Amino acid sequence: MNLPNESNRLVIVGATGSGKTQAALWHLSMRDFDHRPWMIYNFKSDKSIDQIPYAKNIGLDEIPIQPGIYVAHPRPDEIDEVEKQMWSVWEKQGIGIYVDEGYMVGRQNPAFGALLTQGRSREIPIITLSQRPAWLHPFILSEAEFYQVFRLNHKRDRKKVEEFIPADLNERLPDYHSYYYDVAANKTTVLKPVPEIEKIHATFERRLARVRKTV
């Protein structure tokens, strides 16, 4: 099974409590934040994100320069500020982006659209999560190279995702299992649950502690 490389776009979708956030953090824990900054837009103030050891909070008027994990907490009325910051990331290049709830970025956010369509050439890998894929910016699904799909409660959401991956999403998997689709390989795999959040946080702690000593 292939994992996303340092320029790929990964989409993880699933209903609340299905396991998508833990899976996304597992993916992030293996990415290259020891060589580049990764920004997390934590719209819902998810505790498992805020508890990442050595992660730094960042404002919407800041752009990280040093390697590490940086967490922003936008309010729903700060979409314009998010868009402006995303344009700055687009200009800076070489920064990873993790969006905790993709639909909250807005379907009419041209900066996010630019990151999704041009991010690969600008070395901006993206991880996007959502519980309602039918509400997402269209480029989130169309430009992804990898998809991870947990239980989706709404028929409309299942139908939307089935436009992009060859799987029958009406067939329910065991709890915390997911469909994982690699576009380039045209291969769908059923994944077992990812490690417990404590182990994922321990991976962050070990790797970010080394980053902290070198910056």
Side-chain angles (χ1 to χ4, degrees), residues 34-83:
D34 48 353
H35 296 289
R36 78 168 87 205
W38 269 82
M39 289 182 55
I40 300 178
Y41 287 98
N42 190 6
F43 282 98
K44 299 185 298 182
S45 294
D46 187 280
K47 291 182 179 179
S48 60
I49 293 174
D50 287 337
Q51 292 171 353
I52 295 174
Y54 301 119
K56 300 178 181 179
N57 289 333
I58 190 171
L60 296 176
D61 58 347
E62 301 176 76
I63 296 296
I65 298 174
Q66 301 293 341
I69 302 289
Y70 299 83
V71 184
H73 297 86
R75 298 193 311 265
D77 63 345
E78 291 183 311
I79 296 303
D80 289 345
E81 289 83 352
V82 170
E83 180 181 337

Side-chain angles (χ1 to χ4, degrees), residues 5-6 14-15 36 41 43 50-51 59 71 73 78 80 91 96 104 108 118 127 130 141 150 153 158 175 190-191:
N5 66 28
E6 303 315 331
R36 78 168 87 205
Y41 287 98
F43 282 98
D50 287 337
Q51 292 171 353
V71 184
H73 297 86
E78 291 183 311
D80 289 345
E91 292 174 358
M104 296 190 74
Q108 305 301 323
Q118 302 169 28
I127 299 173
S130 183
L141 291 171
F150 290 85
N153 294 334
R158 295 194 295 271
D175 288 348
V190 174
L191 296 187

Side-chain angles (χ1 to χ4, degrees), residues 16-211:
T16 299
S18 61
K20 68 180 181 299
T21 301
Q22 194 161 311
L25 289 175
W26 174 71
H27 278 282
L28 182 61
S29 72
M30 296 183 288
R31 302 303 289 267
D32 64 343
F33 53 80
D34 48 353
H35 296 289
R36 78 168 87 205
W38 269 82
M39 289 182 55
I40 300 178
Y41 287 98
N42 190 6
F43 282 98
K44 299 185 298 182
S45 294
D46 187 280
K47 291 182 179 179
S48 60
I49 293 174
D50 287 337
Q51 292 171 353
I52 295 174
Y54 301 119
K56 300 178 181 179
N57 289 333
I58 190 171
L60 296 176
D61 58 347
E62 301 176 76
I63 296 296
I65 298 174
Q66 301 293 341
I69 302 289
Y70 299 83
V71 184
H73 297 86
R75 298 193 311 265
D77 63 345
E78 291 183 311
I79 296 303
D80 289 345
E81 289 83 352
V82 170
E83 180 181 337
K84 184 177 179 180
Q85 188 180 49
M86 286 184 167
W87 276 127
S88 296
V89 170
W90 182 89
E91 292 174 358
K92 179 69 176 175
Q93 307 186 48
I95 298 173
I97 296 292
Y98 173 120
V99 181
D100 178 46
E101 190 50 75
Y103 74 84
M104 296 190 74
V105 176
R107 292 177 62 87
Q108 305 301 323
N109 184 328
F112 194 35
L115 292 177
L116 291 164
T117 55
Q118 302 169 28
R120 184 169 186 173
S121 63
R122 303 180 78 83
E123 297 184 352
I124 303 173
I126 301 176
I127 299 173
T128 308
L129 289 70
S130 183
Q131 56 184 309
R132 293 302 313 274
W135 295 353
L136 291 176
H137 189 296
F139 288 146
I140 293 175
L141 291 171
S142 68
E143 302 304 308
E145 288 101 354
F146 292 89
Y147 301 79
Q148 190 164 359
V149 184
F150 290 85
R151 169 178 49 84
L152 290 166
N153 294 334
H154 293 263
K155 183 178 180 180
R156 183 183 173 193
D157 291 324
R158 295 194 295 271
K159 185 176 180 180
K160 184 66 178 179
V161 176
E162 284 177 346
E163 294 177 13
F164 299 93
I165 76 168
D168 181 4
L169 301 183
N170 292 311
E171 181 180 346
R172 182 159 177 171
L173 297 174
D175 288 348
Y176 310 120
H177 287 59
S178 61
Y179 293 101
Y180 182 77
Y181 179 56
D182 177 344
V183 174
N186 190 26
K187 181 179 180 180
T188 303
T189 305
V190 174
L191 296 187
K192 295 180 180 180
V194 301
E196 296 296 328
I197 192 63
E198 293 80 9
K199 292 184 178 180
I200 296 170
H201 281 160
T203 300
F204 279 117
E205 184 170 22
R206 182 179 67 254
R207 297 185 63 201
L208 285 169
R210 292 199 295 264
V211 172

